[in-house]
Amino acid sequence: MNQRREFLKKGGLMAFLGLLGIEGGDRIAEASETRQWAMIIDLNRCCGCQSCVIACKAQNKTVSHEFNTRLLAEEEGEYPEAAPLFTPIQCNQCDDPPCVRACPEKAT
């Protein structure tokens, strides 16, 4: 979980620097001939509905009991302030991912 948060922090910083037009971002893009995109999910908005899981399964027509996307459900905090925490784990292999369109909360 800490690795994901660290990734999101660094990704946000890079996006901010890109918006400012820092030249370092241009050099990074030039160093790689093929771009690799990442998907950022706002975990505060994820409601655990599993629409992304269903949309991915329908798009990729995976066999029964096989999923490219899954949803981890945990509980954060202590009683009485405990709250659910949902973490979508996605493959990030689609050019036009169906899970983004399926999300009712626009968390992806």
Side-chain angles (χ1 to χ4, degrees), residues 86-99:
F86 301 105
T87 308
I89 307 296
Q90 299 170 322
C91 65
N92 295 324
Q93 297 299 312
C94 297
D95 290 331
D96 182 24
C99 54

Side-chain angles (χ1 to χ4, degrees), residues 65-86:
H65 303 298
E66 183 181 307
F67 298 89
N68 292 342
T69 300
R70 63 186 194 276
L71 187 71
L72 301 180
E74 300 174 26
E75 191 172 293
E76 185 176 57
E78 297 284 330
Y79 176 82
E81 284 87 27
L85 175 66
F86 301 105

Side-chain angles (χ1 to χ4, degrees), residues 25-93:
D26 295 338
R27 281 185 254 140
I28 291 171
E30 290 173 6
S32 172
E33 290 183 17
T34 59
R35 291 186 179 180
Q36 293 183 340
W37 299 99
M39 188 178 301
I40 297 177
I41 301 170
D42 184 353
L43 298 180
N44 294 321
R45 296 183 79 175
C46 181
C47 64
C49 68
Q50 297 204 16
S51 293
C52 56
V53 175
I54 295 165
C56 179
K57 184 160 186 66
Q59 175 74 25
N60 295 306
K61 298 174 179 55
T62 58
V63 296
S64 181
H65 303 298
E66 183 181 307
F67 298 89
N68 292 342
T69 300
R70 63 186 194 276
L71 187 71
L72 301 180
E74 300 174 26
E75 191 172 293
E76 185 176 57
E78 297 284 330
Y79 176 82
E81 284 87 27
L85 175 66
F86 301 105
T87 308
I89 307 296
Q90 299 170 322
C91 65
N92 295 324
Q93 297 299 312

